[in-house]
Amino acid sequence: MVAVRFHGRGGQGAKTASRILGTAAFMSGYVAQDCPIYGAERRGAPVAAFTRFGREPIRERGAIAHPDVIVVADATLLDDVAARVLEGADDRTVLFVNTSLSTEALRAHVPIPLQVTARDVTGIALQQLGQREAISALLGAVAARLVGLDWESLRSAIGRELEDLGLPEPVIQRNLTVAKQCYETVEPAPLHKGQGWTAGTTSIHSPAYEPPTKGTARISAAGNSVLRETGGWRTFRPVLIADKCNGCWLCFAYCPDGVIAMNRDDRPVVDYAHCKGCQICIHECPTHALVAEREQEGGVAWTAK
Amino acid sequence: MDSQMMTGNLAAAWGARLADVDYIPAFPITPQTEIVEALAKWCERGELAARFVSMDSEHSMMTAAGAAEVTGARVFTATSSQGLLHAFEVLYAISGWRAPLVLVNVSRALAAPITLEADHNDVLAARDAGFLQIHAETCQEVLDSILMAYRIAEDERVMLPVIVNLDGFTLSFTREPVSLPDPDTVRRFLPPFRPSHLGFTASSPHALGVAVIGGTPYAYFKHQMHLAARNALEVHRETADSFQALFGRRYDVVEGYRLEEAEDVLVMTNAGASQGKAAVDAARAQGKRVGLLRLRMIRPWPADAIRQALRGRRAVAVMDQNVAPGQGGILYREVAACLYHEAARPGALCSFIGGLGGQHLSEGMFHAIFEQTAEAGVAGRGCGPVLLYSAEEHREMTQLQMVAGTVGRDGR
Amino acid sequence: MTWQRETFKKIKQIPREEHVLPGTALCAGCGGLEALRLAAKVLGDHVVYVNAAGCFTMLAAYPYTSFKGSWLYTTMGSAPAGAQGIRDALDILIAKGRLPQGEDVKVVVLGGDGSTYDMALSATSGAMNRRLDFYYICYDNEAYGNTGMQLSPATPYAARTATSPCGLQHPAGTAQEKKDLFEIWRAHRPPYIATVAPRYPLDLEEKFARAAAFTGPKMFLALAACPTGWLYDPGTTPEVARMAVETGLWPLKEAINGVVTHTYIPKRKPVEAYLRLQGRFQHLFEPTVQTDAIRHIQERVDAYWEQAMQEQA
Ligand SMILES: Cc1ncc(C[n+]2csc(CCOP(=O)(O)OP(=O)(O)O)c2C)c(N)n1
Ligand code: SF4
């Protein structure tokens, strides 16, 4: 059995990518299974999806603990503890990362010696599709190639899944063209197919009663959500061109997350650890003093710490 | 202490009054309504320093009750049947908040078809909601159980809500002498409510009932609720000791009636157990060695006490005043489960289903139960579920069907 | 008679302090969060929010909460009843001397339109009828958002949702008209009702400031432009909200003891200017223009304003 785990942010298409791969495997004559897991399906929050296929009936369900291939839709996820991207991976795991960084540059950041492939799928999408988040077909294509599925099955799978989402025919055609391009930029990878994993016996902790202050689903650290950084959600970051700013406060007024503060000179200061990159400030700035800069994926999130 | 004639409903209202509750959100439903009517009157007259609020539904009523409790008020409310089920999702919220309020449920069978009289499908539907459950047999026990319920619920080792159950009509509308505990003694028995994990104040904000995404925290909090409920067995014992010392009456999690040298034991709950006791007396008079075990605490499930009372018996009959269609009696299987690992488990375990929707349980019916149980004991094999229905009832039903036009004159 | 803002005259009067902190799991560009953040700037931190099921449930997800005040999650259908319990309990505890007056908090319901217009309507009606002293903030994203954008009674005619798709039977998508919650609320005669849109922050802040003077139900209906459900780029949330107001589809108004005042009178751009911005209305323009449907929407807005202006005059 081949097990592929997709990591993305809500809205990037990790779930659809896993379905494309599942359908492609199914159409190639395999037994296949795919499923997503998400907390509260929110744009930008980490999500994961799983595809399994093989020749025998598949008995596993739910999350994939030991993936053969990990497909990462967004390099910032590597640094997001909540996303658990590298969990269960070892040196035989194949890691694909959508990033503009080179494989070598990325390897310097990835702590374990995986087989890493890096491609700038977002760059391709921006160039060819002109949309910042439509990369499901492209991720599906990369994954299908890595696990050695043929283009014809993949082609029909992308067609079916995108049609299912209600996308119009011209959009599907554009996606197919770009998907083919992505498909061809990578090579099939050697897979260990789940061989060699043995589980030890879990040690069971027997719970003891704890006082209700502790044992109740409550939070007394008011306002502690600041500990959770959402800066990694961004594809674009707002950057201030200081001399264009007239100090009008509009960016501060409209920011839903309250991550813009006005300093003493009435200039906005963006909290990049939390800015989700919605670009409202950029759209609303009357003097165009705030501009969008594409994140150097990974790079920015890492230095933002 | 003076005794007076009062209904189970009035006794329940007195329980709330003596517990000096702060808040009573209410909604009418037969056969519970008298309780909140009495409380409304007392609040109006200033005899009870509580706020009484008429809500727009039981769903709202339970939400308001829980929300007031987690703000730090001692809360009482009451419902029955459709009302309990209308509020069902809120029950789980309240126990999850660890809000130790007391809810009286007056058992009434669930529609459809609509009826007003008791059976226990309503209260037992809530058996896994995280509320503790105490089922009362007499009007006195209703009142006393409410006082005990607050003390158990508010104990730091428990902090879970409690349902005190009484049967509609046979208890709710039935008057019998009830001794009213002295308010000062009650104050000694029941300390003021000062929960450490609750309260919304300006200086110490907190978020409660929060989302937990992922099974790890969810399982932890659910385990805590289970452990808290298990703690209630010990806390109940301490509470019973203290109650006995102050008021002279004792209630344990189960009550044995003429169990000494009983070969066969009938297991019952609620007000119907009184009739069961009468049937035991009658059978004993005929030389039959039978006894009765009344289950008073249903949650937490008093497995040890049940095992202890039933071990070594020839046969045990569980009388369920409820039915799980396609399965049988709800309490039967719980009793069976806790006897499985008992080395000296009874030779036969029999299941009887009777008293649905207030169906009358005649003396003759009890004779039949004892006979079938004894036979099962001799044979060493249990029986049931036996759906108790007399030939007489069957004839009457056929008559009704003729009038309803659902059978022909020939009875077919 | 034009409506005058008394407290909030300049944008720089918007309080700097944040009360709903970042790190939330809500979508980037959420218009509902925009409204809540601005409201909280007036409400402050001595607040307990009573939340119904919906997107905002995610604002307190263990072990994090975004609120500097308190928060309680209830159910989808009973947040106003939760507010009742809390308000009553606070009053009782203060009256009995168990809680110092200084520890009192404001009680604020947070509910989506699905909860507010549908399931919690009975609980809200009850709370208003009992003259409960509380705030109600409905963030109206015109669908059941948390479950992935299904039809709610707040969904406007011709919007496409996951359960009101467009096809041969319903080429325009949603067939119903948006329920007029403002009028349903107004029939209860609470002391204060207002509609707000966060794109008009001073109007919003002013209304929360005014509401504070009233005891009893203070009801807010906040436009919550929703990039995820309405299918537009998150950066254009304010623009979508602005068009909702400028076309007249989302009237900014208040009702004090039942007397309605429109707080902003738009010049009324054609509704197309609003509809075209959003994917959920795209089928009205592509592949063919559904002229009748668009005209229908326009006529209803026109009728609304004609009547509103007559009444106001
Ligand atoms: C009784 C009940 N039914 C259904 C749900 C599932 N549910 C959770 S959130 C939600 C949508 C709520 O929609 P709305 O009130 O508009 O708020 P939004 O999600 O848009 O923020 C639903 C249907 C629930 N939590 N409770
Ligand atoms: S779905 Fe809409 S309303 Fe819900 S969090 Fe996202 S943007 Fe906000």
Side-chain angles (χ1 to χ4, degrees):
Chain A
M1 186 188 74
V2 176
V4 182
R5 195 166 75 200
F6 292 84
H7 292 275
R9 297 192 177 277
Q12 281 176 331
K15 172 179 163 187
T16 307
S18 86
R19 293 173 65 118
I20 288 172
L21 184 63
T23 302
F26 172 68
M27 295 178 87
S28 309
Y30 288 102
V31 182
Q33 181 201 76
D34 57 61
C35 74
I37 268 193
Y38 37 80
E41 203 179 13
R42 283 290 162 277
R43 272 196 187 190
V47 297
F50 314 97
T51 306
R52 297 179 171 96
F53 66 91
R55 295 288 174 204
E56 303 294 320
I58 297 169
R59 312 267 187 232
E60 282 185 19
R61 291 205 179 277
I64 291 175
H66 299 295
D68 299 295
V69 180
I70 301 175
V71 177
V72 184
D74 179 337
T76 61
L77 287 160
L78 288 169
D79 224 44
D80 193 330
V81 210
R84 303 179 173 199
V85 171
L86 297 176
E87 203 164 80
D90 66 10
D91 53 2
R92 297 173 307 173
T93 309
V94 175
L95 176 71
F96 174 84
V97 184
N98 167 27
T99 174
S100 55
L101 295 179
S102 71
T103 304
E104 290 64 41
L106 191 67
R107 201 186 291 281
H109 288 294
V110 180
I112 39 177
L114 310 170
Q115 309 171 47
V116 185
T117 310
R119 295 287 182 277
D120 188 10
V121 172
T122 301
I124 299 175
L126 280 170
Q127 238 170 39
Q128 313 268 349
L129 301 174
Q131 260 175 307
R132 58 167 145 153
E133 279 172 10
I135 56 172
S136 53
L138 319 189
L139 293 174
V142 166
R145 176 64 160 207
L146 287 172
V147 300
L149 296 179
D150 64 59
W151 168 250
E152 273 318 304
S153 312
L154 175 65
R155 212 178 102 89
S156 348
I158 294 176
R160 277 195 194 188
E161 295 304 324
L162 297 191
E163 202 184 305
D164 237 36
L165 291 179
L167 295 186
E169 189 51 32
V171 177
I172 298 179
Q173 283 309 325
R174 277 205 301 279
N175 266 280
L176 278 170
T177 314
V178 189
K180 181 93 194 279
Q181 202 178 323
C182 292
Y183 182 82
E184 281 160 1
T185 62
V186 291
E187 289 298 318
L191 304 175
H192 64 78
K193 300 189 183 174
Q195 301 298 306
W197 289 112
T198 46
T201 305
T202 306
S203 93
I204 302 292
H205 162 87
S206 114
Y209 181 75
E210 302 194 279
T213 38
K214 199 172 159 188
T216 307
R218 62 193 278 281
I219 304 164
S220 46
N224 67 347
S225 67
V226 289
L227 298 174
R228 183 172 55 189
E229 302 194 344
T230 46
W233 294 24
R234 286 190 305 272
T235 323
F236 292 89
R237 63 162 44 197
V239 174
L240 180 74
I241 306 169
D243 51 4
K244 279 198 179 178
C245 172
N246 67 5
C248 70
W249 278 41
L250 286 180
C251 52
F252 161 76
Y254 296 140
C255 175
D257 290 272
V259 299
I260 299 182
M262 301 308 293
N263 69 12
R264 255 178 292 144
D265 307 325
D266 276 348
R267 294 294 173 271
V269 180
V270 180
D271 167 7
Y272 288 113
H274 294 101
C275 165
K276 293 172 181 166
C278 68
Q279 300 190 41
I280 286 177
C281 51
I282 295 166
H283 277 79
E284 293 297 315
C285 176
T287 64
H288 307 291
L290 283 158
V291 296
E293 270 183 21
R294 188 175 161 204
E295 292 291 344
Q296 296 297 303
E297 286 131 337
V300 164
W302 284 312
T303 53
K305 283 248 145 147
Chain B
M1 289 198 204
D2 54 333
S3 267
Q4 10 178 328
M5 287 291 282
M6 66 171 78
T7 61
N9 278 343
L10 192 57
W14 268 104
R17 174 168 169 171
L18 288 167
D20 196 19
V21 299
D22 298 309
Y23 189 51
I24 306 156
F27 196 86
I29 180 169
T30 307
Q32 169 276 130
T33 313
E34 269 184 8
I35 301 177
V36 295
E37 285 174 352
L39 291 168
K41 190 175 68 186
W42 292 337
C43 289
E44 184 59 31
R45 289 190 195 145
E47 291 167 10
L48 172 57
R51 178 170 297 196
F52 181 95
V53 181
S54 293
M55 296 299 293
D56 45 282
S57 73
E58 288 88 352
H59 190 277
S60 286
M61 172 189 93
M62 284 310 298
T63 306
E69 185 79 22
V70 300
T71 309
R74 182 177 281 163
V75 179
F76 175 85
T77 188
T79 189
S80 170
S81 186
Q82 311 301 125
L84 185 70
L85 267 69
H86 189 57
F88 210 60
E89 65 166 335
V90 188
L91 301 181
Y92 286 76
I94 290 173
S95 60
W97 296 340
R98 306 288 300 275
L101 56 79
V102 174
L103 164 67
V104 162
N105 183 66
V106 183
S107 266
R108 162 180 159 185
L110 291 160
I114 311 171
T115 185
L116 294 173
E117 289 175 70
D119 69 32
H120 305 138
N121 269 109
D122 61 352
V123 68
L124 289 178
R127 70 188 180 275
D128 303 328
F131 275 63
L132 311 182
Q133 290 201 4
I134 297 173
H135 293 202
E137 183 192 340
T138 65
C139 296
Q140 182 73 59
E141 190 181 345
V142 169
L143 191 161
D144 294 348
S145 296
I146 291 169
L147 299 179
M148 287 177 69
Y150 277 107
R151 174 144 154 190
I152 297 165
E154 294 171 5
D155 192 293
E156 279 281 313
R157 293 165 291 175
V158 179
M159 280 295 172
L160 285 172
V162 183
I163 289 175
V164 173
N165 193 69
L166 62 137
D167 279 342
F169 288 82
T170 48
L171 221 50
S172 72
F173 297 157
T174 301
R175 293 203 319 152
E176 58 190 22
V178 171
S179 146
L180 284 181
D182 157 58
D184 288 327
T185 320
V186 172
R187 262 188 288 280
R188 276 200 286 149
F189 169 73
L190 182 62
F193 179 46
R194 300 288 182 270
S196 60
H197 69 301
L198 300 175
F200 296 116
T201 59
S203 63
S204 59
H206 72 131
L208 182 65
V210 298
V212 295
I213 301 298
T216 303
Y218 187 83
Y220 168 83
F221 292 123
K222 281 286 164 177
H223 291 168
Q224 287 301 314
M225 286 167 67
H226 174 70
L227 296 169
R230 298 304 299 170
N231 285 349
L233 289 169
E234 175 60 17
V235 175
H236 185 283
R237 200 188 49 71
E238 290 170 19
T239 306
D241 290 347
S242 155
F243 193 88
Q244 185 178 23
L246 289 169
F247 304 104
R249 292 183 293 275
R250 181 168 187 97
Y251 302 96
D252 286 305
V253 288
V254 299
E255 181 205 0
Y257 184 75
R258 301 190 77 169
L259 288 183
E260 64 292 346
E261 285 167 30
E263 283 182 305
D264 301 340
V265 175
L266 174 61
V267 178
M268 290 188 74
T269 63
N270 289 283
S274 300
Q275 289 162 279
K277 288 175 182 173
V280 165
D281 289 344
R284 284 269 183 174
Q286 291 173 2
K288 290 185 184 152
R289 282 160 51 199
V290 296
L292 183 138
L293 182 71
R294 180 170 72 89
L295 309 181
R296 189 176 112 81
M297 191 159 224
I298 301 295
R299 284 292 180 275
W301 183 248
D304 287 340
I306 293 171
R307 263 198 295 271
Q308 205 170 341
L310 299 183
R311 79 163 52 109
R313 308 291 173 184
R314 181 177 70 177
V316 167
V318 180
M319 169 75 130
D320 269 292
Q321 208 176 329
N322 64 74
V323 62
Q327 213 285 342
I330 294 170
L331 296 175
Y332 171 78
R333 60 190 166 180
E334 297 215 359
V335 170
C338 77
L339 290 176
Y340 186 83
H341 286 295
E342 173 56 51
R345 64 171 179 255
L349 193 59
C350 306
S351 170
F352 294 91
I353 291 176
L356 299 182
Q359 179 198 18
H360 178 59
L361 289 177
S362 63
E363 241 182 278
M365 202 79 100
F366 281 104
H367 288 315
I369 292 169
F370 286 135
E371 276 166 26
Q372 290 196 27
T373 306
E375 279 167 27
V378 171
R381 241 181 56 211
C383 64
V386 177
L387 305 176
L388 295 170
Y389 210 64
S390 66
E392 175 60 33
E393 282 177 308
H394 177 68
R395 273 193 298 279
E396 189 188 331
M397 189 62 206
T398 310
Q399 294 291 320
L400 295 173
Q401 285 170 320
M402 280 180 197
V403 179
T406 55
V407 296
R409 289 278 145 208
D410 56 359
R412 281 194 293 171
Chain C
M1 177 192 68
T2 48
W3 189 76
Q4 292 290 329
R5 291 194 306 269
E6 279 147 25
T7 314
F8 287 91
K9 295 189 191 290
K10 297 194 310 267
I11 201 111
K12 291 185 184 177
Q13 288 175 308
I14 296 176
R16 286 172 181 270
E17 193 186 346
E18 302 293 344
H19 303 267
V20 183
L21 298 190
T24 75
L26 301 196
C27 303
C30 174
L33 184 58
E34 242 183 350
L36 172 62
R37 168 181 173 250
L38 290 171
K41 282 175 180 286
V42 180
L43 293 170
D45 286 332
H46 294 172
V47 168
V48 52
Y49 291 97
V50 190
N51 214 116
C55 291
F56 280 14
T57 310
M58 286 297 113
L59 288 172
Y62 198 79
Y64 303 112
T65 171
S66 288
F67 294 103
K68 289 206 278 179
S70 287
W71 187 86
L72 176 70
Y73 172 77
T74 51
T75 70
M76 187 168 169
S78 62
Q84 179 84 44
I86 295 175
R87 183 65 266 157
D88 287 343
L90 289 167
D91 291 345
I92 296 159
L93 295 179
I94 291 169
K96 290 189 174 181
R98 275 151 61 189
L99 188 73
Q101 183 73 52
E103 288 286 11
D104 195 13
V105 288
K106 300 187 186 89
V107 184
V108 182
V109 167
L110 288 180
D113 51 283
S115 160
T116 305
Y117 284 64
D118 252 350
M119 212 186 266
L121 194 50
S122 153
T124 312
S125 173
M128 281 194 283
N129 207 43
R130 292 184 294 265
R131 313 302 284 173
L132 179 67
D133 187 22
F134 78 128
Y135 290 80
Y136 193 126
I137 304 177
C138 168
Y139 58 100
D140 188 351
N141 61 7
E142 305 194 324
Y144 293 127
N146 200 37
T147 38
M149 287 295 147
Q150 297 82 20
L151 180 84
S152 92
T155 307
Y157 172 76
R160 177 163 63 90
T161 72
T163 46
S164 57
C166 26
L168 284 180
Q169 286 189 61
H170 299 96
T174 300
Q176 69 180 21
E177 303 293 344
K178 186 179 173 88
K179 197 189 269 186
D180 191 347
L181 189 68
F182 187 90
E183 288 301 313
I184 295 173
W185 280 356
R186 194 163 75 95
H188 292 77
R189 289 292 180 272
Y192 194 79
I193 318 176
T195 64
V196 294
R199 175 60 179 70
Y200 298 78
L202 293 178
D203 179 89
L204 187 153
E205 302 292 50
E206 178 73 18
K207 285 171 176 168
F208 274 89
R210 282 177 160 232
F214 299 93
T215 306
K218 296 168 272 284
M219 314 295 291
F220 287 85
L221 203 48
L223 178 69
C226 167
T228 311
W230 299 5
L231 306 172
Y232 62 80
D233 191 281
T236 55
T237 290
E239 181 59 12
V240 169
R242 188 171 78 86
M243 281 303 149
V245 173
E246 296 299 337
T247 54
L249 279 163
W250 186 270
L252 294 175
K253 54 186 170 180
E254 69 177 13
I256 295 180
N257 295 317
V259 180
V260 181
T261 311
H262 283 79
T263 61
Y264 175 76
I265 299 177
K267 299 208 175 57
R268 279 202 284 132
K269 294 185 189 303
V271 293
E272 260 193 72
Y274 172 70
L275 303 175
R276 275 194 186 276
L277 293 175
Q278 305 161 59
R280 63 174 175 156
F281 293 115
Q282 202 168 354
H283 56 283
L284 297 182
F285 305 100
E286 278 175 37
T288 51
V289 180
Q290 298 193 36
T291 323
D292 288 352
I294 299 169
R295 189 185 316 120
H296 174 78
I297 298 170
Q298 188 65 58
E299 282 170 1
R300 284 188 55 101
V301 195
D302 293 346
Y304 172 88
W305 282 97
E306 200 173 309
Q307 196 188 341
M309 290 302 93
Q310 265 172 22
E311 280 167 14
Q312 192 143 333

